[in-house]
Amino acid sequence: MTLPRDYRGQTCALSRSMEIVGERWTLLILRDAFYGVRRFGEFAAHLAVPRAVLTDRLTTLVEAGVLDRRRETDTGRREVYVLTPKGVALWPAVRALTAWGEEFYAAEGGPRRVFRHVGDEAPLDADGRCTGCGTAVPVEDVLVTPGPGLRTASGSPAVDADPVTAALTRPHRLLTPLLPLPSLHPPAHPITAPSGRPTRGPRP
């Protein structure tokens, strides 16, 4: 039997919040949005979530005003998903759940990623304060950096196949686009197929 989306008989603020962010994959989608993931294909590749499920979760977040779906700047050809102020307000919850997981369900080798203060690059504590200067760091001043758990036993970076994971092996400021815009220009020369016939370049 399919579970209903709402918490029938529950009227507290937490139950209303869970109706928006409590479904499986939703918090991971929001985490990636804070990282700067914007395009549908990037979410799908990084999370390995079924595309129908991803479509449903993104639609719910847009309808709730947590994400804004808009045309990509400079291209106008693709849609991107960007956190609204309402969505940005969820950062303390995402950060706190991440810290809770690191404390009670830590991965072997330590955290894969560490949140730091852009100002002095000191790590944040569980409450979101800089351990260097003591500042309560707003999300726009948070740097996500590779942690010790991102390295393999041999000491080399553990880079997965998808471009989001590869991009996150470098320090990155939250809320800024993680991946560059795709090129709008076709190759200068046609690509030659093995048969000798010219073929079209890759789609933009």
Side-chain angles (χ1 to χ4, degrees), residues 173-199:
R173 195 167 187 157
L174 296 189
L175 298 180
T176 60
L178 182 63
L179 298 174
L181 294 173
S183 174
L184 296 178
H185 304 290
H189 302 286
I191 300 172
T192 302
S195 63
R197 297 190 302 271
T199 187

Side-chain angles (χ1 to χ4, degrees), residues 22-202:
E23 289 192 284
R24 186 167 185 169
W25 298 109
T26 298
L27 283 172
L28 297 183
I29 292 169
L30 290 172
R31 176 206 63 188
D32 280 11
F34 279 107
Y35 287 166
V37 176
R38 300 171 298 164
R39 305 180 193 108
F40 183 95
E42 295 166 5
F43 286 109
H46 188 226
L47 298 174
V49 55
R51 297 177 79 86
V53 173
L54 179 59
T55 297
D56 177 76
R57 301 298 186 267
L58 289 171
T59 299
T60 296
L61 291 170
V62 170
E63 290 176 347
V66 174
L67 292 178
D68 181 31
R69 182 171 54 219
R70 63 181 69 159
R71 291 290 180 181
E72 192 165 43
T73 304
D74 297 333
T75 69
R77 301 177 61 185
R78 302 186 184 192
E79 289 186 333
V80 294
Y81 296 87
V82 180
L83 286 160
T84 64
K86 184 177 179 180
V88 171
L90 284 165
W91 169 243
V94 174
R95 187 204 65 241
L97 280 170
T98 302
W100 185 79
E102 293 295 354
E103 180 175 357
F104 295 104
Y105 299 96
E108 183 178 355
R112 285 171 59 88
R113 297 183 180 93
V114 175
F115 297 126
R116 299 179 182 274
H117 184 194
V118 167
D120 55 15
E121 298 191 3
L124 307 188
D125 64 16
D127 295 323
R129 289 188 173 275
C130 175
T131 56
C133 65
T135 300
V137 182
V139 62
E140 61 270 17
D141 289 337
V142 174
L143 195 69
V144 58
T145 64
L150 198 63
R151 295 187 172 273
T152 62
S154 64
S156 60
V159 180
D160 296 333
D162 73 276
V164 171
T165 300
L168 288 171
T169 60
R170 300 179 296 275
H172 179 76
R173 195 167 187 157
L174 296 189
L175 298 180
T176 60
L178 182 63
L179 298 174
L181 294 173
S183 174
L184 296 178
H185 304 290
H189 302 286
I191 300 172
T192 302
S195 63
R197 297 190 302 271
T199 187
R200 294 181 181 179

